[in-house]
Amino acid sequence: SFTPTLVNEARFGFSLFNSDQVFPITGQAAVEGLGLTGLDVTLHPGARAFPCFNFSDGTSFSSVGGGSGCGSPKVAPLASGSYSFNDNVSWVKGRHTMKFGFDMRRVHYEEVDNYGGGDEYGLFTFLRNTYTGNAYADFLLGLPYTDQVSNTGPYLNQTAFHWAAYAQDEFRLAKSLTINFGLRWELTPPFMDANGNISQYLPATNTLVNP
């Protein structure tokens, strides 16, 4: 409080989330360790997760592994956070109660890309009545019905700065009449990715722009 009619309020805050689950072996090592041969599992060098083996068809077994193909969270880094600072000034002068302020936020998001299936970890599906008649037996023999892997590129590592400022006035024209008016400006640009691994949709031309 600078004076009885002039008050300044400043706030700073942050929120951070970090989850770094790491499986002790890579997808390629897991496949080789199980003796599965002839499978296309050329994983992205950054992949650190166990592939998904789905042999639940006609059996009582659940799928094993990570990634969206197994319906389980990815075993990979995931981090997000924000830092914010805002300042507000209240000034009472005569019949006016004025307020001014601004807000600045830095937001950050980091995650291994996820486009469905087994992502870059590998997804191996075993179906009944394909080779031996039992999905789990096919798994033990290393005979999947399908195998797939996606080349998803580098991790998402995105940062953006959001800005806002405002000014408003509460003007008491009379005991029974008060006018409130003000103006607020905001700038919320899109994320910038450290790896350039992001696309932008242009509605005017119905096209995607890729870095």
Short mmCIF file of all heavy atoms in Angstrom, two decimals, residues 67-121:
data_model
loop_
_atom_site.label_atom_id
_atom_site.label_comp_id
_atom_site.label_asym_id
_atom_site.label_seq_id
_atom_site.Cartn_x
_atom_site.Cartn_y
_atom_site.Cartn_z
N GLY A 67 3.12 -48.32 -24.22
CA GLY A 67 2.65 -47.65 -25.42
C GLY A 67 1.15 -47.72 -25.55
O GLY A 67 0.46 -48.51 -24.89
N SER A 68 0.61 -46.88 -26.42
CA SER A 68 -0.83 -46.80 -26.58
C SER A 68 -1.43 -48.08 -27.15
O SER A 68 -2.61 -48.35 -26.99
CB SER A 68 -1.19 -45.62 -27.48
OG SER A 68 -0.50 -45.73 -28.73
N GLY A 69 -0.63 -48.89 -27.85
CA GLY A 69 -1.14 -50.13 -28.41
C GLY A 69 -1.57 -51.12 -27.35
O GLY A 69 -2.42 -51.97 -27.58
N CYS A 70 -0.97 -51.04 -26.16
CA CYS A 70 -1.33 -51.92 -25.06
C CYS A 70 -2.34 -51.27 -24.13
O CYS A 70 -2.68 -51.84 -23.10
CB CYS A 70 -0.08 -52.31 -24.27
SG CYS A 70 0.80 -53.72 -24.98
N GLY A 71 -2.77 -50.07 -24.45
CA GLY A 71 -3.71 -49.38 -23.60
C GLY A 71 -3.14 -48.95 -22.28
O GLY A 71 -3.86 -48.78 -21.30
N SER A 72 -1.82 -48.78 -22.22
CA SER A 72 -1.16 -48.38 -20.98
C SER A 72 -0.29 -47.17 -21.24
O SER A 72 0.08 -46.88 -22.38
CB SER A 72 -0.31 -49.52 -20.43
OG SER A 72 0.68 -49.89 -21.38
N PRO A 73 0.07 -46.42 -20.20
CA PRO A 73 0.92 -45.25 -20.39
C PRO A 73 2.27 -45.63 -20.97
O PRO A 73 2.78 -46.71 -20.73
CB PRO A 73 1.06 -44.68 -18.98
CG PRO A 73 -0.09 -45.25 -18.22
CD PRO A 73 -0.35 -46.60 -18.81
N LYS A 74 2.83 -44.71 -21.70
CA LYS A 74 4.15 -44.95 -22.27
C LYS A 74 5.21 -44.88 -21.18
O LYS A 74 5.11 -44.10 -20.24
CB LYS A 74 4.45 -43.89 -23.34
CG LYS A 74 3.61 -44.05 -24.57
CD LYS A 74 3.87 -42.92 -25.53
CE LYS A 74 3.36 -41.62 -24.98
NZ LYS A 74 3.52 -40.51 -25.92
N VAL A 75 6.21 -45.73 -21.33
CA VAL A 75 7.34 -45.69 -20.41
C VAL A 75 8.35 -44.73 -21.02
O VAL A 75 9.23 -45.11 -21.77
CB VAL A 75 7.94 -47.08 -20.22
CG1 VAL A 75 9.05 -47.05 -19.17
CG2 VAL A 75 6.87 -48.07 -19.82
N ALA A 76 8.19 -43.45 -20.70
CA ALA A 76 9.01 -42.43 -21.34
C ALA A 76 8.87 -41.13 -20.58
O ALA A 76 7.99 -40.99 -19.74
CB ALA A 76 8.55 -42.25 -22.80
N PRO A 77 9.75 -40.17 -20.86
CA PRO A 77 9.66 -38.88 -20.16
C PRO A 77 8.38 -38.13 -20.50
O PRO A 77 7.89 -38.16 -21.63
CB PRO A 77 10.89 -38.12 -20.68
CG PRO A 77 11.79 -39.16 -21.24
CD PRO A 77 10.90 -40.25 -21.74
N LEU A 78 7.82 -37.48 -19.51
CA LEU A 78 6.66 -36.61 -19.69
C LEU A 78 6.80 -35.47 -18.70
O LEU A 78 6.91 -35.70 -17.49
CB LEU A 78 5.36 -37.37 -19.44
CG LEU A 78 4.07 -36.53 -19.41
CD1 LEU A 78 3.85 -35.86 -20.76
CD2 LEU A 78 2.87 -37.38 -19.05
N ALA A 79 6.85 -34.26 -19.19
CA ALA A 79 7.05 -33.11 -18.31
C ALA A 79 6.23 -31.94 -18.81
O ALA A 79 6.04 -31.75 -20.02
CB ALA A 79 8.54 -32.73 -18.25
N SER A 80 5.72 -31.15 -17.88
CA SER A 80 5.01 -29.94 -18.23
C SER A 80 5.14 -28.97 -17.06
O SER A 80 5.43 -29.36 -15.93
CB SER A 80 3.53 -30.22 -18.52
OG SER A 80 2.87 -30.71 -17.35
N GLY A 81 4.90 -27.72 -17.35
CA GLY A 81 5.00 -26.73 -16.28
C GLY A 81 4.67 -25.35 -16.77
O GLY A 81 4.57 -25.09 -17.98
N SER A 82 4.47 -24.45 -15.84
CA SER A 82 4.20 -23.06 -16.16
C SER A 82 4.75 -22.16 -15.07
O SER A 82 4.76 -22.53 -13.89
CB SER A 82 2.70 -22.82 -16.33
OG SER A 82 2.03 -23.01 -15.09
N TYR A 83 5.23 -21.00 -15.49
CA TYR A 83 5.66 -19.94 -14.58
C TYR A 83 4.83 -18.71 -14.90
O TYR A 83 4.65 -18.37 -16.08
CB TYR A 83 7.14 -19.63 -14.75
CG TYR A 83 8.07 -20.76 -14.37
CD1 TYR A 83 8.42 -21.75 -15.29
CD2 TYR A 83 8.60 -20.84 -13.08
CE1 TYR A 83 9.28 -22.78 -14.94
CE2 TYR A 83 9.46 -21.87 -12.72
CZ TYR A 83 9.79 -22.84 -13.66
OH TYR A 83 10.63 -23.87 -13.31
N SER A 84 4.32 -18.06 -13.89
CA SER A 84 3.48 -16.90 -14.12
C SER A 84 3.87 -15.75 -13.20
O SER A 84 4.26 -15.97 -12.04
CB SER A 84 2.00 -17.25 -13.91
OG SER A 84 1.75 -17.60 -12.56
N PHE A 85 3.76 -14.54 -13.72
CA PHE A 85 3.96 -13.34 -12.93
C PHE A 85 2.93 -12.32 -13.35
O PHE A 85 2.72 -12.08 -14.55
CB PHE A 85 5.36 -12.76 -13.13
CG PHE A 85 5.58 -11.46 -12.41
CD1 PHE A 85 5.78 -11.43 -11.03
CD2 PHE A 85 5.53 -10.25 -13.10
CE1 PHE A 85 5.95 -10.23 -10.36
CE2 PHE A 85 5.72 -9.05 -12.44
CZ PHE A 85 5.92 -9.04 -11.06
N ASN A 86 2.22 -11.75 -12.39
CA ASN A 86 1.26 -10.70 -12.72
C ASN A 86 1.30 -9.60 -11.67
O ASN A 86 1.64 -9.84 -10.50
CB ASN A 86 -0.16 -11.27 -12.87
CG ASN A 86 -0.64 -11.96 -11.62
OD1 ASN A 86 -0.97 -11.32 -10.63
ND2 ASN A 86 -0.71 -13.29 -11.66
N ASP A 87 0.95 -8.42 -12.11
CA ASP A 87 0.97 -7.25 -11.24
C ASP A 87 -0.30 -6.44 -11.48
O ASP A 87 -0.70 -6.23 -12.64
CB ASP A 87 2.21 -6.40 -11.53
CG ASP A 87 2.40 -5.31 -10.49
OD1 ASP A 87 3.03 -5.60 -9.45
OD2 ASP A 87 1.90 -4.19 -10.71
N ASN A 88 -0.94 -6.00 -10.39
CA ASN A 88 -2.17 -5.23 -10.48
C ASN A 88 -2.07 -4.00 -9.59
O ASN A 88 -1.62 -4.07 -8.43
CB ASN A 88 -3.37 -6.08 -10.01
CG ASN A 88 -3.53 -7.34 -10.84
OD1 ASN A 88 -4.06 -7.31 -11.95
ND2 ASN A 88 -3.07 -8.46 -10.31
N VAL A 89 -2.48 -2.87 -10.13
CA VAL A 89 -2.48 -1.61 -9.40
C VAL A 89 -3.92 -1.11 -9.28
O VAL A 89 -4.65 -1.04 -10.28
CB VAL A 89 -1.62 -0.55 -10.12
CG1 VAL A 89 -1.69 0.79 -9.38
CG2 VAL A 89 -0.18 -1.02 -10.23
N SER A 90 -4.33 -0.77 -8.06
CA SER A 90 -5.65 -0.19 -7.80
C SER A 90 -5.46 1.25 -7.33
O SER A 90 -4.68 1.52 -6.40
CB SER A 90 -6.39 -0.99 -6.74
OG SER A 90 -6.58 -2.33 -7.15
N TRP A 91 -6.19 2.16 -7.97
CA TRP A 91 -6.03 3.59 -7.68
C TRP A 91 -7.41 4.23 -7.56
O TRP A 91 -8.20 4.20 -8.51
CB TRP A 91 -5.21 4.25 -8.79
CG TRP A 91 -4.92 5.71 -8.55
CD1 TRP A 91 -4.85 6.35 -7.38
CD2 TRP A 91 -4.66 6.68 -9.57
NE1 TRP A 91 -4.55 7.67 -7.55
CE2 TRP A 91 -4.42 7.91 -8.90
CE3 TRP A 91 -4.57 6.63 -10.96
CZ2 TRP A 91 -4.12 9.07 -9.60
CZ3 TRP A 91 -4.27 7.79 -11.64
CH2 TRP A 91 -4.04 9.00 -10.96
N VAL A 92 -7.71 4.77 -6.41
CA VAL A 92 -8.98 5.45 -6.17
C VAL A 92 -8.72 6.96 -6.23
O VAL A 92 -7.89 7.49 -5.46
CB VAL A 92 -9.58 5.08 -4.80
CG1 VAL A 92 -10.89 5.83 -4.57
CG2 VAL A 92 -9.79 3.57 -4.71
N LYS A 93 -9.43 7.62 -7.14
CA LYS A 93 -9.26 9.06 -7.29
C LYS A 93 -10.62 9.69 -7.55
O LYS A 93 -11.21 9.48 -8.62
CB LYS A 93 -8.28 9.38 -8.42
CG LYS A 93 -7.98 10.89 -8.55
CD LYS A 93 -6.91 11.12 -9.60
CE LYS A 93 -6.60 12.61 -9.76
NZ LYS A 93 -6.11 13.21 -8.49
N GLY A 94 -11.11 10.38 -6.56
CA GLY A 94 -12.42 11.01 -6.70
C GLY A 94 -13.52 9.97 -6.87
O GLY A 94 -13.65 9.04 -6.05
N ARG A 95 -14.27 10.09 -7.94
CA ARG A 95 -15.35 9.13 -8.22
C ARG A 95 -14.88 7.96 -9.07
O ARG A 95 -15.69 7.16 -9.51
CB ARG A 95 -16.51 9.86 -8.91
CG ARG A 95 -17.22 10.88 -8.01
CD ARG A 95 -18.38 11.53 -8.73
NE ARG A 95 -17.94 12.36 -9.84
CZ ARG A 95 -18.78 12.92 -10.74
NH1 ARG A 95 -20.07 12.71 -10.62
NH2 ARG A 95 -18.30 13.68 -11.71
N HIS A 96 -13.59 7.86 -9.30
CA HIS A 96 -13.04 6.80 -10.13
C HIS A 96 -12.31 5.77 -9.26
O HIS A 96 -11.53 6.12 -8.37
CB HIS A 96 -12.05 7.37 -11.16
CG HIS A 96 -12.66 8.29 -12.15
ND1 HIS A 96 -13.18 7.85 -13.35
CD2 HIS A 96 -12.85 9.64 -12.11
CE1 HIS A 96 -13.64 8.88 -14.03
NE2 HIS A 96 -13.45 9.99 -13.29
N THR A 97 -12.55 4.50 -9.54
CA THR A 97 -11.77 3.40 -8.99
C THR A 97 -11.13 2.67 -10.17
O THR A 97 -11.79 1.92 -10.88
CB THR A 97 -12.64 2.43 -8.17
OG1 THR A 97 -13.25 3.16 -7.09
CG2 THR A 97 -11.80 1.30 -7.60
N MET A 98 -9.87 2.93 -10.38
CA MET A 98 -9.20 2.41 -11.57
C MET A 98 -8.28 1.25 -11.22
O MET A 98 -7.71 1.20 -10.13
CB MET A 98 -8.38 3.53 -12.23
CG MET A 98 -9.24 4.66 -12.78
SD MET A 98 -8.28 6.13 -13.23
CE MET A 98 -7.95 6.83 -11.60
N LYS A 99 -8.17 0.33 -12.16
CA LYS A 99 -7.29 -0.82 -12.00
C LYS A 99 -6.51 -1.04 -13.29
O LYS A 99 -7.05 -0.94 -14.38
CB LYS A 99 -8.08 -2.09 -11.64
CG LYS A 99 -8.72 -2.05 -10.26
CD LYS A 99 -9.40 -3.36 -9.94
CE LYS A 99 -10.00 -3.33 -8.54
NZ LYS A 99 -10.64 -4.63 -8.20
N PHE A 100 -5.22 -1.36 -13.12
CA PHE A 100 -4.34 -1.65 -14.25
C PHE A 100 -3.52 -2.89 -13.90
O PHE A 100 -3.21 -3.13 -12.73
CB PHE A 100 -3.39 -0.48 -14.52
CG PHE A 100 -4.05 0.86 -14.56
CD1 PHE A 100 -4.17 1.62 -13.40
CD2 PHE A 100 -4.54 1.36 -15.74
CE1 PHE A 100 -4.76 2.87 -13.43
CE2 PHE A 100 -5.14 2.61 -15.79
CZ PHE A 100 -5.26 3.36 -14.63
N GLY A 101 -3.16 -3.65 -14.90
CA GLY A 101 -2.35 -4.82 -14.60
C GLY A 101 -1.87 -5.54 -15.85
O GLY A 101 -2.30 -5.25 -16.97
N PHE A 102 -0.97 -6.47 -15.64
CA PHE A 102 -0.47 -7.30 -16.73
C PHE A 102 -0.20 -8.70 -16.19
O PHE A 102 -0.07 -8.92 -14.98
CB PHE A 102 0.79 -6.72 -17.37
CG PHE A 102 2.03 -6.86 -16.53
CD1 PHE A 102 2.86 -7.97 -16.67
CD2 PHE A 102 2.36 -5.90 -15.59
CE1 PHE A 102 4.00 -8.11 -15.89
CE2 PHE A 102 3.51 -6.02 -14.81
CZ PHE A 102 4.32 -7.14 -14.96
N ASP A 103 -0.12 -9.65 -17.11
CA ASP A 103 0.11 -11.05 -16.76
C ASP A 103 1.06 -11.65 -17.78
O ASP A 103 0.87 -11.48 -19.00
CB ASP A 103 -1.22 -11.81 -16.73
CG ASP A 103 -1.05 -13.24 -16.28
OD1 ASP A 103 -0.59 -14.08 -17.08
OD2 ASP A 103 -1.38 -13.54 -15.13
N MET A 104 2.09 -12.35 -17.31
CA MET A 104 3.04 -13.01 -18.19
C MET A 104 3.16 -14.47 -17.75
O MET A 104 3.31 -14.76 -16.57
CB MET A 104 4.41 -12.32 -18.12
CG MET A 104 5.44 -12.89 -19.11
SD MET A 104 6.32 -14.36 -18.52
CE MET A 104 7.34 -13.63 -17.26
N ARG A 105 3.09 -15.38 -18.73
CA ARG A 105 3.18 -16.81 -18.41
C ARG A 105 4.10 -17.51 -19.41
O ARG A 105 4.04 -17.26 -20.61
CB ARG A 105 1.80 -17.48 -18.47
CG ARG A 105 0.84 -16.94 -17.45
CD ARG A 105 -0.56 -17.51 -17.62
NE ARG A 105 -1.49 -16.90 -16.69
CZ ARG A 105 -1.76 -17.38 -15.48
NH1 ARG A 105 -1.19 -18.50 -15.08
NH2 ARG A 105 -2.60 -16.75 -14.68
N ARG A 106 4.94 -18.37 -18.87
CA ARG A 106 5.76 -19.25 -19.70
C ARG A 106 5.26 -20.67 -19.49
O ARG A 106 5.26 -21.18 -18.37
CB ARG A 106 7.24 -19.17 -19.31
CG ARG A 106 8.15 -20.11 -20.11
CD ARG A 106 9.56 -20.14 -19.52
NE ARG A 106 10.45 -20.97 -20.29
CZ ARG A 106 10.58 -22.30 -20.15
NH1 ARG A 106 9.83 -22.93 -19.24
NH2 ARG A 106 11.43 -22.99 -20.89
N VAL A 107 4.82 -21.30 -20.56
CA VAL A 107 4.28 -22.66 -20.48
C VAL A 107 5.18 -23.59 -21.28
O VAL A 107 5.72 -23.23 -22.33
CB VAL A 107 2.83 -22.72 -21.00
CG1 VAL A 107 1.90 -22.01 -20.04
CG2 VAL A 107 2.71 -22.10 -22.39
N HIS A 108 5.33 -24.81 -20.78
CA HIS A 108 6.27 -25.76 -21.37
C HIS A 108 5.64 -27.14 -21.34
O HIS A 108 4.95 -27.51 -20.39
CB HIS A 108 7.59 -25.76 -20.61
CG HIS A 108 8.55 -26.80 -21.09
ND1 HIS A 108 8.85 -27.94 -20.37
CD2 HIS A 108 9.29 -26.88 -22.23
CE1 HIS A 108 9.71 -28.67 -21.06
NE2 HIS A 108 10.00 -28.05 -22.17
N TYR A 109 5.89 -27.91 -22.42
CA TYR A 109 5.36 -29.27 -22.50
C TYR A 109 6.36 -30.14 -23.23
O TYR A 109 6.88 -29.77 -24.29
CB TYR A 109 4.03 -29.27 -23.26
CG TYR A 109 3.36 -30.62 -23.33
CD1 TYR A 109 2.66 -31.13 -22.24
CD2 TYR A 109 3.42 -31.39 -24.48
CE1 TYR A 109 2.05 -32.36 -22.30
CE2 TYR A 109 2.82 -32.62 -24.55
CZ TYR A 109 2.13 -33.10 -23.46
OH TYR A 109 1.53 -34.33 -23.51
N GLU A 110 6.64 -31.30 -22.66
CA GLU A 110 7.61 -32.23 -23.26
C GLU A 110 7.07 -33.65 -23.17
O GLU A 110 6.64 -34.10 -22.10
CB GLU A 110 8.95 -32.14 -22.53
CG GLU A 110 10.03 -33.03 -23.12
CD GLU A 110 11.35 -32.88 -22.38
OE1 GLU A 110 11.41 -32.07 -21.44
OE2 GLU A 110 12.31 -33.59 -22.75
N GLU A 111 7.08 -34.36 -24.29
CA GLU A 111 6.56 -35.73 -24.31
C GLU A 111 7.09 -36.46 -25.53
O GLU A 111 7.34 -35.85 -26.58
CB GLU A 111 5.03 -35.72 -24.34
CG GLU A 111 4.41 -37.12 -24.30
CD GLU A 111 2.90 -37.10 -24.48
OE1 GLU A 111 2.37 -36.07 -24.91
OE2 GLU A 111 2.27 -38.13 -24.22
N VAL A 112 7.22 -37.77 -25.40
CA VAL A 112 7.53 -38.60 -26.56
C VAL A 112 6.30 -38.60 -27.46
O VAL A 112 5.18 -38.70 -27.00
CB VAL A 112 7.88 -40.03 -26.12
CG1 VAL A 112 8.11 -40.92 -27.33
CG2 VAL A 112 9.11 -40.02 -25.23
N ASP A 113 6.53 -38.46 -28.76
CA ASP A 113 5.41 -38.41 -29.70
C ASP A 113 4.54 -39.66 -29.58
O ASP A 113 5.01 -40.76 -29.33
CB ASP A 113 5.92 -38.30 -31.14
CG ASP A 113 6.58 -36.96 -31.38
OD1 ASP A 113 6.46 -36.10 -30.51
OD2 ASP A 113 7.19 -36.79 -32.45
N ASN A 114 3.25 -39.47 -29.82
CA ASN A 114 2.29 -40.56 -29.70
C ASN A 114 1.28 -40.44 -30.83
O ASN A 114 0.49 -39.50 -30.86
CB ASN A 114 1.58 -40.50 -28.34
CG ASN A 114 0.59 -41.62 -28.16
OD1 ASN A 114 0.51 -42.53 -28.97
ND2 ASN A 114 -0.18 -41.56 -27.10
N TYR A 115 1.33 -41.36 -31.75
CA TYR A 115 0.42 -41.33 -32.89
C TYR A 115 -0.42 -42.60 -32.99
O TYR A 115 -0.97 -42.91 -34.02
CB TYR A 115 1.18 -41.12 -34.19
CG TYR A 115 1.88 -39.80 -34.27
CD1 TYR A 115 3.26 -39.71 -34.16
CD2 TYR A 115 1.15 -38.62 -34.40
CE1 TYR A 115 3.90 -38.48 -34.21
CE2 TYR A 115 1.79 -37.39 -34.45
CZ TYR A 115 3.16 -37.32 -34.36
OH TYR A 115 3.80 -36.12 -34.40
N GLY A 116 -0.54 -43.35 -31.90
CA GLY A 116 -1.35 -44.55 -31.92
C GLY A 116 -0.54 -45.80 -32.21
O GLY A 116 0.64 -45.76 -32.54
N GLY A 117 -1.18 -46.96 -32.06
CA GLY A 117 -0.49 -48.22 -32.28
C GLY A 117 0.61 -48.41 -31.25
O GLY A 117 0.48 -48.07 -30.09
N GLY A 118 1.71 -48.96 -31.67
CA GLY A 118 2.83 -49.19 -30.77
C GLY A 118 3.84 -48.08 -30.79
O GLY A 118 4.91 -48.21 -30.21
N ASP A 119 3.51 -46.97 -31.50
CA ASP A 119 4.46 -45.87 -31.63
C ASP A 119 5.80 -46.42 -32.13
O ASP A 119 5.85 -47.34 -32.93
CB ASP A 119 4.61 -45.14 -30.29
CG ASP A 119 3.27 -44.64 -29.78
OD1 ASP A 119 2.48 -44.19 -30.60
OD2 ASP A 119 3.02 -44.74 -28.57
N GLU A 120 6.87 -45.84 -31.64
CA GLU A 120 8.19 -46.29 -32.08
C GLU A 120 8.70 -47.45 -31.24
O GLU A 120 9.84 -47.87 -31.39
CB GLU A 120 9.18 -45.13 -32.02
CG GLU A 120 9.28 -44.50 -30.65
CD GLU A 120 10.10 -43.23 -30.67
OE1 GLU A 120 10.36 -42.68 -31.74
OE2 GLU A 120 10.48 -42.80 -29.59
N TYR A 121 7.89 -47.98 -30.35
CA TYR A 121 8.32 -49.10 -29.50
C TYR A 121 8.05 -50.44 -30.16
O TYR A 121 8.65 -51.44 -29.80
CB TYR A 121 7.57 -49.05 -28.17
CG TYR A 121 7.59 -47.70 -27.50
CD1 TYR A 121 6.48 -47.24 -26.83
CD2 TYR A 121 8.72 -46.90 -27.54
CE1 TYR A 121 6.49 -46.00 -26.21
CE2 TYR A 121 8.74 -45.67 -26.93
CZ TYR A 121 7.63 -45.22 -26.27
OH TYR A 121 7.63 -44.01 -25.66
#
